[in-house]
Amino acid sequence: MDDRIEELLATLDLAGKLRLISGASLFRLAGDPAIGLAEMPVSDGPSGVRGENWDERDPSVSLPSGTAIAATWDPALLDEIGALIAAEARRKNVYAVLGPTINLHRSPVGGRHFECFSEDPLLTGELAAAYVRAVQAHGVSACPKHYVANDSETDRFTVDVRVGARALRELYLYPFERAVDAGAWMIMDAYNAVDGVTMTENPLLDEPLKGSWGFDGVVVSDWTAVRTTDSAAHGTDLCMPGPPYFWGEPLAERIRAGAIPESAVDEKVRRILRFAIRVGALDGTPRSTPVFTDARARDLVRAVAAEAMVLVRNDGVLPLAPRTTVALVGPSAGEPRYLGGGSATVIPGHTTSPVEGLAATLPVTYTAGVRLSEDLVPAPLSVVTDPATGEPGLSVRYLAAGTELGVQHRSASRLVLLGEPLAARATTVEVHARLRADVAGAWQIGVAGVWHIRLDLDGTTVIDEHVALDSGDPAAVLLDPPQRQVTRTLAAGDEVDVRVVIDLGAAAVPGFGVVLGATLGVRRPQRPDDEEFAAAVELARAAEVAVVVVGTTEQIESEGVDRTTLRLPGRQDDLVAAVAAANPRTVVVVNSGAPVEMPWRDDVAAVLLAWFPGQEFGAALADVLTGAVEPGGRLPTTWPKTMAEVPVLDTTPVDGVLDYAEGIHVGYRAWLRAGTAPAYPFGHGLGYTTWSTGGLVVAGRTVSLTVTNTGDRPGKHVVQAYLSRPTSAIERPVRWLAGFAAVTCAPGETRTVDIALPRRAFEHWDGRGWAVEPGAFTVLVGTSVEDLPHTATVS
Ligand code: BGC
């Protein structure tokens, strides 16, 4: 391959080379017909493949998010998931999927916690490697991100992370090291700085990434993370997005002036050509991928979601017997979150809510009980029609100086204009719909967006305002723009002509076109809050079992912001407490990607953590609640009782610096050091059968344990092995995860589980390299970091 790369490189002049090291557009690498190189679209990732556009007309399969995947503790599951991701990528003409996200859960408030796997580097690293192998096995590139120490969102573009060499090597770099070992073809570097140098120019790109780890793929910048022209002298190979800015003509001038050597560009081009050969964009065609029918994709997403759900408490109420009457309450039962907010968003073509999933299996009554927030939600398709076609949805018109450029029928009332070709030429976007009230009362009707916004209801202008972005993060233009609304009292069946006119003004970002999120939003009338609350409690009282589905929102758990509280929004805690008081058989299902406080957890019969489980949430939940399958998840992150007790919490930089002062004590290691008991420890999770375990044998670095399913139904057991070093000359965690394996056993079945502990689990970074402290380590084996009944000594 190397000869071929040199041969092609020799045919390119400087302009031709520079065209390749910046994107061609927002989500596309440049091609070059003269050398037979195709343009290469890339896409977010990681829990589905959005494609180049953020558009419901081109939907995607929505998979469980990072924390859910990690909760399976089963890297083997990623083979199928990777095949589906590759198939989705190929269907959308995508050459690289921007994932997995393998930063760590340093603090539970981190806005992208849901997207990352775990607080533990080994669990993260195993899953990262499995994800990379599984996707790339089908000729589509993965792109582990964000290298490195991008573990929170506050001031994410500028924060300077100070992290000691040992924590960096043993914790934050480790998952990337494993991803490189697994053969990653592309890695994304981060927005933040480490030790004073922004990551797109950081020496960590040279050593260890391209140096001792031997990474020969492409380092792509996070989007807009390249800050200067001269950064081209450093380790980032590809500046995204395009078209070229810093690394276009300004770089050509610097090279001609002799300030930057052309050889620096050659090295980047070599890597990009190697990537193109690997993904079939040069010399040959992309490989074919497995075929996923809708049914096969849905079955997989449903199975993985159930495999990820963590039952942290169960007094025996679960699984539910057939025909149990269920009162389903909680806002997230009807309008759940399938995925977290931000660039990880995909638009599924099909979803099943908990109400839909449970009602298909059991006799169910439902009311929300409380609202999650006072915000507008995108107008449901059941209440808006496109005046032009009469179909559910809206009509969107693009105009330039009064001339119509095009009209689209859209079946979503949330539009994300990013790379939309019509928007690129437009000066005004007009959204038009007929809203039909399906219940009587006070409707709030409005719009979320920025720039100059006008809202006309039945031809009368009710809002006409210049709206400025109210967030420090520019991504909020897309993800969470400000809202404006008015109230209209409507009878059921009343119709209102709604027209939103947005003057795009400065929405165009030079080079990238229009970047704007615009939502036609409503807030439906609801009975007075107290009445609605009481109605939910009465439903719960009347049923055999109450299932309360609580959760967070897209605004709370999202890229771009860290959380300010771990409390559930709205009156959800009150609702759980009141329902539990009315019905002792109350099951709480938590729909969040990251830990939340659960002050009622000891007063309810069962607590099931469902994460952001992807599009088949409801079906998977019904499977688990009825016992059709076991809840297969174990906690990939410690679940605190209260935010105040979290040992590593703060993500706010001081004078631009975020100091990882805790060093190697992150996650359960920090809890162990603090001596505080969390609500539920790392690794914890219950199934529906019973087990006996024993016969621990350690031979070399292999740990063997015998497990027997002593119950009367099949079950999953996750054997976890930790190491500790009771007397040590160096600072160490109390104990640390060294290996794990998931097994399933039929009733009465016995299996011996072998876990090979990697050499690295015994090593520490001594400042210059990896070292093993002579002497004995203790191996502790069990089912969570707190439940380790089997121990042995290993030298
Ligand atoms: C995110 C990346 C993402 C990229 C492209 C950035 O803001 O940090 O994770 O892949 O946007 O959408």
Side-chain angles (χ1 to χ4, degrees), residues 27 44 50 98 112 115 145-146 156 188 191 222-223 343 559:
F27 284 105
D44 287 307
R50 190 172 59 239
L98 307 175
R112 299 180 84 166
E115 212 180 307
K145 63 189 186 183
H146 313 83
R156 63 176 172 151
M188 188 186 295
Y191 286 127
D222 199 344
W223 268 227
S343 64
E559 176 177 333

